[in-house]
Amino acid sequence: MDALAFVEKWRKSTRGERSAAHEHFFDLCELVQHPKPGELDPTGQTFTAERKVKKFGGKEGFADFSKQGFFAWEYKGKGADLELAFNQLLQYSGDLGNPPLLIVSDMDRIEIRTRFTGFPTKIYRIALDNLTWPANLERLRWVFHDPERFRPEKTIERITEEAALKLAVLAPSVRGRHEDSTKVAHFLDRLIFCMFAEDARLLPNGVFTQVFKNPNRDPRYINRDLSRLFEAMAAGGDLFGETIPYFNGNLFDETAPLELLATEFPLLIEANTFDWSEMDPSIFGTLFERVMDPAQRSRLGAHYTSYRDIATLVDPIVMAPLRREWAHVRDQLALLVIVDSESPKEGVQPPAPSEARIKEAQELVDAFLARLRCVRVLDPACGSGNFLYVAMRMLKDLEKDVLVGSRRCGLKDFELEAGPHQFFGIEKNPYAHDLARMTVWIGFLQWQRENGFPVQETPILRSLDNFELKDAILDESDPDHPSEPSWPKADFIVGNPPFLGGKRMRSELGDEYVQRLFRVWGERVRPEADLCCYWFERARRQVEIGACGRVGLLATQGIRGGANGETLSRIKESGDVFFAESDRPWILDGASVHVSMVGFDDGSEKVRILDGRPALSINANLTADADVTLSRRLAANLDTAFMGDTKGGSFEIPEQLAFELLLAPNPTGRPNSDVVTPWLNGLDVTRRGRNMWIVDFGVARSLVDAASYEAPFEYVKKHVKPARSKNKREAYRKRWWIHVEARPTMRAKLSPLRRFIVTATVSKHRLFVWIKEPILPDHQLIAFARSDDGYFGLLHSRVHEVWSRAQGTQVRERESGFRYTPTSCFETFPLPTPTPSQTAAIAAAAQRLDELRSNWLNPREWLHQEFLEFPAAVDGPWGNSVKKPNQRGIGTVRYPRLVPRDSHVYDMGKRTLTNLYNERPTWLDLAHKTLDEAVFDAYGWDPGTTDEALLELLLALNLERAVEQGPINPPPNDEIDDESSEAF
């Protein structure tokens, strides 16, 4: 059959659906040269007519035609309401495997709707009279042969990005004329909702577009019509002869709309060209928040968190227990309404369940529905509402599953009632707060539309007073008596609290705010902890007092250790962690980072999932191995490892400038080498030394004394003082020439030593190196006040690396390294008690390792040695190196430095410890193996012990030593190994 014959035949037909649908479909198969269902699939498994489904109202029905992975096709009589037919098809498309095309037809019209996941819906309408058009015939062939040809070019995410960017010009223009940013956000939210409502057919006949159809009209009249539209949407009404539904809600309250300028109408018209009914609320809120908030404008083109990412946390926290409950109800329903015959015969239906069983089944469904509709979800840092939007969609999906399951059991139909009123948010940013409510509402209306459930409520929007505009962790309404804010009760708490490290809290939030925060929260959260810990602790308290059942929050990976780790330890004391992703990629403020996800409750949940796999338990550091968070600091390790000097300004200088300062004279006759020394930070250890120096006036040198070193002092005055004078800490402002945290204890311990050990605070490989005095280690290095090779060997052994990795915190992905802190990684590490011969074996292996590495890093063939000569005093930092001092104790220092030969400058750049350990050549592996064997021998353990078993042995030894030594004092405040001191 050709196209002309097909059109001629069906133009004459007056038959109804029942008598003509099959013949019409079979003729289409012939037209596009596709086998009929019985020819292609005699069994009817993948391509068939009359597939049994449960239709609207709970009655059993049949889908007219379906081809698995291609389409579902519903026929209606001529002139039928195809929109209603499509909604009906939507509701049982799940029974047909959710095909990518949903098609409805009355034989005069064929409507093809695309349903590709993550892509916008496209509608193709083919009238019988136009069926012969080449484009229409091509589309019909695609339906049967290649539905992928219908896949839209742009994803919903991409379209949402483009739509948000169109507002990036309009929003600043409006905001620039109005001081009240909240009113601007509210007004623009109204415009966005109007565009959505029109495209979702909640507003009739393009009434919003009509307001702006002539941008050359007098702006006064356009603004007047826009105001009238808002008024009509607030209470129901009329505009341009169209009946406007009653929307209500917070969105269309009595707040007067702002006025647009003539130059702004074209911007809005351009934005209105998008199909706003297809926007993705899970990302649009974030994008529009960036448009609205000047502080986030620079992130407009940056990445955002996707629906799938958010669902990774929402699903196990919120949905998993609800689905378990529904699965239990479903199992009971199967026993009540399905009666199996002992010897079923073909064609014989089992007996129908009794009325009593039907009643009991109905009561089970009703009880679960009541439970589902009372669920309350709170996001106490809701931002633009992304987490709540995802949770709401998933809750609605479950409610729909209950409806489908109820229909299959022959139970009564019911209206879907779960919705935005069950979701609660707390947000202090007015832009985000207003967006969050709109995000949830649009998401709800979108879900109804996508799943074929008409929006029939009046008003269409309800007020969402369950979103609070306030600070979630500090109530400053009474500045003299700050307090902890109240949180609403909820079954579930989910969200993404702000990521702000302890060291940045003062600079970002202000000293006064931080001091009040510390005062209110007291001992419950360590002052050095990250900001997100306050949300974790408050959520823990909500669980403890019975105001919440389950919690799922995000944090940086730092949550697993140090001061942050104590927060998770408190959670395990009053409840337990049942779900965790210890290391997961995430998008934070547009940047790719790695985070940890933590789910916890009061201990009721018995299933533990860690990194996607079952676990017997989850420790406070989000591992399932030996719980090293139980370890204790050991007295034998105290006063040995220290965080390096924190300079707090541009005190560091390149070598050439250092040499100039070293040779400059002073009026006192003292050499500048008293206050100018080599300086090393973490990069100098993991890469190659940069020959950097630093001006260092020690820990307590007076202004008068410091100024006597003329050239170094004037350098610091010019390059450090301007920034330090603005520092929020008075002590830092007043003593601007002194490093902010000069670590007096560390200096006192290192001063008698000719060399000492350092390791970078953050590195991929745990590397230890020797440093000679008077080099000053930076705070990105941990310095060990030991000069013996045996100690170096213990630190560089596999035993210590396994322990320190378990105790440290991963920075991002494993390749980026982990953080080493003295209190957790070293002071808890149980050292062996070796015999003299064992100590000698460890020292010899360590010496050999260091010698081989040094030769590889600095091959003699590629280098030559040079010397810097400068005056120095025997009572200064260079005292051990001074030659031929005069009567005043001032002599000369010849400071050696290795310089690459010209032909090997490039080669030397690649000789770094990180590159060496990335390659790990055989000689290096064997050197470490020899060292490890010596260290394991000192412990009396097998070198083949697995990492997991090694942690168990070390933890047992740590706890044994802790019992023997008794309690010890906490570390002094000026030597705490976190980064809170760098608060400038």
Side-chain angles (χ1 to χ4, degrees):
M1 176 177 285
D2 60 34
L4 288 173
F6 181 92
V7 171
E8 187 65 23
K9 173 180 177 178
W10 289 101
R11 182 185 287 128
K12 295 176 182 178
S13 175
T14 59
R15 287 182 291 166
E17 173 196 353
R18 185 177 297 276
S19 62
H22 280 64
E23 186 177 344
H24 184 273
F25 186 83
F26 295 156
D27 283 353
L28 282 172
C29 289
E30 288 187 23
L31 177 64
V32 300
Q33 298 181 324
H34 187 278
K36 298 179 178 67
E39 298 168 350
L40 182 66
D41 181 15
T43 64
Q45 294 299 308
T46 60
F47 186 28
T48 186
E50 305 296 329
R51 183 179 294 280
K52 186 183 294 184
V53 292
K54 288 293 181 180
K55 305 182 80 170
F56 189 81
K59 296 180 180 179
E60 191 175 81
F62 299 87
D64 291 331
F65 294 94
S66 64
K67 184 179 180 183
Q68 187 174 327
F70 283 68
F71 59 78
W73 196 307
E74 181 74 12
Y75 275 97
K76 292 296 177 185
K78 288 195 174 186
D81 184 345
L82 293 186
E83 189 71 24
L84 184 63
F86 171 71
N87 287 339
Q88 184 176 331
L89 182 58
L90 259 183
Q91 293 185 30
Y92 58 80
S93 62
D95 277 358
L96 303 174
N98 292 310
L101 303 178
L102 297 182
I103 305 170
V104 292
S105 174
D106 67 350
M107 289 160 287
D108 279 343
R109 297 168 292 165
I110 298 173
E111 289 189 359
I112 306 165
R113 282 177 170 83
T114 65
R115 299 285 292 174
F116 293 93
T117 302
F119 289 84
T121 296
K122 297 290 184 182
I123 305 176
Y124 300 89
R125 294 183 172 89
I126 303 175
L128 181 62
D129 290 339
N130 299 331
L131 186 140
T132 58
W133 293 3
N136 287 336
L137 286 172
E138 187 72 6
R139 287 179 182 128
L140 285 173
R141 293 188 190 99
W142 293 349
V143 166
F144 287 87
H145 295 281
D146 191 5
E148 276 293 317
R149 299 292 293 272
F150 284 100
R151 187 183 291 272
E153 179 183 351
K154 295 179 180 178
T155 64
I156 290 175
E157 287 189 2
R158 182 60 188 159
I159 294 170
T160 304
E161 284 181 358
E162 293 178 359
L165 289 172
K166 291 297 180 185
L167 296 172
V169 180
L170 176 62
S173 178
V174 178
R175 191 177 56 242
R177 304 194 313 276
H178 299 277
E179 293 183 3
D180 192 334
S181 58
T182 304
K183 286 184 178 180
V184 174
H186 195 63
F187 173 66
L188 292 174
D189 285 347
R190 289 179 176 185
L191 294 177
I192 291 168
F193 185 83
C194 286
M195 290 188 283
F196 165 79
E198 182 172 271
D199 291 336
R201 301 184 184 179
L202 298 174
L203 280 175
N205 297 327
V207 66
F208 180 74
T209 300
Q210 290 183 52
V211 173
F212 300 97
K213 65 181 179 181
N214 183 4
N216 295 321
R217 288 175 66 204
D218 190 318
R220 290 176 298 173
Y221 303 132
I222 299 180
N223 284 308
R224 178 202 62 192
D225 290 343
L226 184 62
S227 180
R228 288 175 177 175
L229 175 61
F230 289 171
E231 290 174 6
M233 295 176 77
D238 174 270
L239 185 68
F240 305 144
E242 302 289 348
T243 300
I244 308 301
Y246 174 26
F247 283 86
N248 195 14
N250 307 77
L251 200 54
F252 296 99
D253 53 22
E254 296 179 358
T255 305
L258 306 180
E259 292 195 350
L260 294 170
L261 301 178
T263 55
E264 293 168 342
F265 298 143
L267 301 175
L268 189 57
I269 292 171
E270 191 175 1
N272 195 35
T273 58
F274 289 88
D275 184 354
W276 287 82
S277 67
E278 296 285 356
M279 294 301 129
D280 182 354
S282 71
I283 65 172
F284 181 78
T286 298
L287 293 174
F288 190 51
E289 186 182 353
R290 293 174 186 170
V291 168
M292 282 299 304
D293 192 342
Q296 298 198 43
R297 290 270 298 164
S298 61
R299 301 170 186 150
L300 269 177
H303 297 293
Y304 41 78
T305 306
S306 70
Y307 184 102
R308 292 185 300 275
D309 291 328
I310 297 170
T312 304
L313 182 66
V314 172
D315 193 74
I317 304 304
V318 178
M319 300 310 302
L322 296 176
R323 288 201 194 97
R324 281 202 302 261
E325 292 177 39
W326 171 234
H328 178 67
V329 170
R330 233 178 20 237
D331 290 344
Q332 292 177 289
L333 293 178
L335 296 174
L336 289 169
V337 300
I338 299 175
V339 181
D340 295 322
S341 172
E342 292 184 4
S343 305
K345 297 180 180 179
E346 187 175 350
V348 177
Q349 294 291 327
S354 65
E355 288 187 12
R357 289 191 171 209
I358 290 289
K359 180 181 179 182
E360 187 177 349
Q362 187 66 61
E363 288 174 350
L364 285 171
V365 171
D366 290 346
F368 181 73
L369 280 173
R371 152 79 168 134
L372 199 63
R373 291 164 178 172
C374 289
V375 164
R376 291 161 62 104
V377 181
L378 167 66
D379 184 345
C382 69
S384 52
N386 298 353
F387 276 76
L388 295 175
Y389 160 76
V390 171
M392 185 191 65
R393 281 197 68 100
M394 298 178 89
L395 193 70
K396 292 293 293 178
D397 286 341
L398 180 57
E399 189 183 29
K400 179 184 174 183
D401 287 347
V402 177
L403 176 62
V404 172
S406 180
R407 289 172 178 172
R408 286 176 176 168
C409 293
L411 304 178
K412 69 180 182 181
D413 222 16
F414 58 83
E415 297 291 331
L416 301 186
E417 297 179 10
H421 60 283
Q422 297 174 248
F423 297 86
F424 296 73
I426 301 175
E427 176 56 46
K428 66 186 295 185
N429 184 322
Y431 297 119
H433 171 262
D434 225 40
L435 271 171
R437 296 186 295 183
M438 187 180 69
T439 295
V440 171
W441 264 122
I442 286 181
F444 171 74
L445 296 172
Q446 241 182 12
W447 188 95
Q448 294 283 114
R449 181 172 177 265
E450 291 171 5
N451 289 275
F453 295 96
V455 178
Q456 299 173 330
E457 292 87 352
T458 300
I460 292 175
L461 306 179
R462 301 179 196 172
S463 295
L464 284 186
D465 296 325
N466 38 334
F467 284 72
E468 299 181 72
L469 179 61
K470 69 179 186 181
D471 189 323
I473 58 171
L474 188 64
D475 182 353
E476 297 182 278
S477 55
D478 181 355
D480 295 328
H481 302 90
S483 60
E484 197 174 322
S486 62
W487 284 13
K489 288 185 177 181
D491 299 275
F492 307 99
I493 291 175
V494 291
N496 182 7
F499 292 179
L500 189 62
K503 69 174 183 177
R504 293 177 53 207
M505 282 172 57
R506 289 185 182 274
S507 60
E508 294 289 329
L509 305 177
D511 276 335
E512 292 184 5
Y513 179 92
V514 172
Q515 286 303 122
R516 285 195 288 268
L517 191 69
F518 290 170
R519 189 162 69 248
V520 168
W521 288 82
E523 299 292 325
R524 292 169 57 193
V525 178
R526 283 261 301 270
E528 313 89 66
D530 290 353
L531 188 63
C532 68
C533 290
Y534 293 89
W535 273 263
F536 273 82
E537 170 55 24
R538 179 53 193 267
R540 182 205 67 80
R541 179 61 177 158
Q542 292 290 98
V543 172
E544 187 177 43
I545 64 176
C548 178
R550 291 161 70 100
V551 177
L553 296 173
L554 267 72
T556 59
Q557 293 190 52
I559 194 71
R560 294 185 286 170
N564 299 328
E566 293 188 14
T567 301
L568 293 189
S569 295
R570 283 176 62 85
I571 286 171
K572 287 187 66 67
E573 289 170 5
S574 60
D576 208 354
V577 176
F578 63 82
F579 167 82
E581 290 277 343
S582 62
D583 175 13
R584 183 176 179 83
W586 197 256
I587 301 297
L588 173 64
D589 293 336
S592 298
V593 298
H594 279 243
V595 301
S596 294
M597 296 180 174
V598 185
F600 58 92
D601 66 353
D602 62 358
S604 300
E605 178 61 77
K606 303 306 178 188
V607 178
R608 306 280 184 271
I609 301 295
L610 174 62
D611 296 332
R613 286 178 279 186
L616 294 176
S617 64
I618 300 175
N619 302 325
N621 62 353
L622 306 188
T623 67
D625 301 323
D627 190 358
V628 296
T629 63
L630 299 175
S631 63
R632 296 293 177 262
R633 294 170 65 235
L634 301 176
N637 295 29
L638 302 185
D639 295 328
T640 301
F642 306 92
M643 175 184 279
D645 168 272
T646 302
K647 52 192 176 62
S650 299
F651 289 90
E652 75 278 18
I653 53 178
E655 187 175 65
Q656 183 57 43
L657 177 57
F659 194 48
E660 293 174 11
L661 296 180
L662 288 168
L663 297 179
N666 289 313
T668 61
R670 293 291 300 186
N672 283 331
S673 57
D674 286 355
V675 297
V676 177
T677 61
W679 176 76
L680 216 65
N681 72 3
L683 293 179
D684 296 306
V685 169
T686 58
R687 300 180 188 177
R688 285 200 69 80
R690 296 167 298 159
N691 298 321
M692 294 295 290
W693 292 57
I694 195 166
V695 178
D696 175 25
F697 290 112
V699 299
R701 197 180 296 269
S702 70
L703 178 63
V704 173
D705 194 5
S708 68
Y709 297 92
E710 182 180 343
F713 182 84
E714 294 302 325
Y715 177 87
V716 171
K717 183 178 179 181
K718 178 180 178 180
H719 293 90
V720 176
K721 185 180 180 182
R724 285 281 287 274
S725 63
K726 299 175 184 177
N727 196 281
K728 296 178 180 180
R729 294 196 185 185
E730 183 180 6
Y732 294 170
R733 292 196 305 271
K734 284 186 174 182
R735 299 204 317 159
W736 52 266
W737 63 95
I738 300 292
H739 297 178
V740 293
E741 298 294 342
R743 312 292 183 206
T745 308
M746 175 198 73
R747 291 170 184 256
K749 292 290 183 179
L750 296 181
S751 62
L753 306 177
R754 299 295 298 270
R755 68 174 185 174
F756 55 93
I757 307 165
V758 297
T759 188
T761 55
V762 176
S763 63
K764 176 182 177 181
H765 307 286
R766 187 44 46 198
L767 306 169
F768 295 84
V769 299
W770 288 110
I771 287 185
K772 294 181 179 179
E773 52 87 30
I775 296 175
L776 180 67
D778 178 64
H779 77 284
Q780 291 296 344
L781 292 174
I782 304 302
F784 296 82
R786 295 294 294 254
S787 60
D788 48 317
D789 290 301
Y791 219 84
F792 180 88
L794 289 172
L795 292 175
H796 227 318
S797 68
R798 174 176 157 245
V799 178
H800 181 57
E801 179 166 5
V802 168
W803 180 260
S804 60
R805 278 196 178 275
Q807 291 281 30
T809 53
Q810 194 167 310
V811 179
R812 288 193 342 200
E813 69 283 348
R814 188 177 178 88
E815 289 70 26
S816 294
F818 73 99
R819 186 176 302 281
Y820 186 101
T821 52
T823 51
S824 57
C825 297
F826 174 73
E827 292 182 359
T828 60
F829 177 57
L831 295 162
T833 52
T835 64
S837 62
Q838 289 172 332
T839 299
I842 295 172
Q847 281 181 321
R848 182 60 176 164
L849 171 65
D850 182 57
E851 179 185 0
L852 292 172
R853 286 193 327 193
S854 298
N855 292 339
W856 184 89
L857 287 169
N858 300 302
R860 294 188 183 91
E861 300 84 351
W862 294 0
L863 299 166
H864 68 274
Q865 193 173 58
E866 293 181 353
F867 291 90
L868 296 178
E869 292 191 5
F870 50 86
V874 293
D875 59 348
W878 296 89
N880 292 322
S881 303
V882 174
K883 304 298 183 184
K884 299 180 179 180
N886 59 23
Q887 291 180 342
R888 291 184 298 124
I890 297 174
T892 301
V893 168
R894 298 186 77 229
Y895 183 68
R897 56 192 297 271
L898 295 174
V899 180
R901 301 183 188 278
D902 291 342
S903 59
H904 293 289
V905 171
Y906 175 75
D907 296 325
M908 289 302 300
K910 295 183 290 184
R911 295 262 163 164
T912 70
L913 277 177
T914 297
N915 286 342
L916 174 61
Y917 277 80
N918 283 341
E919 297 168 8
R920 204 171 179 95
T922 303
W923 64 262
L924 179 65
D925 206 49
L926 292 174
H928 272 284
K929 182 178 180 182
T930 301
L931 174 62
D932 288 338
E933 288 174 349
V935 172
F936 271 90
D937 182 57
Y939 280 100
W941 298 337
D942 181 358
T945 303
T946 64
D947 290 353
E948 294 78 10
L950 185 55
L951 285 176
E952 294 283 357
L953 290 170
L954 287 168
L955 178 61
L957 186 56
N958 168 277
L959 297 177
E960 178 185 328
R961 300 265 179 87
V963 170
E964 293 172 355
Q965 73 183 15
I968 61 175
N969 294 325
N973 289 334
D974 67 333
E975 297 297 331
I976 289 177
D977 60 83
D978 65 84
E979 298 177 55
S980 61
S981 61
E982 195 184 12
F984 43 84

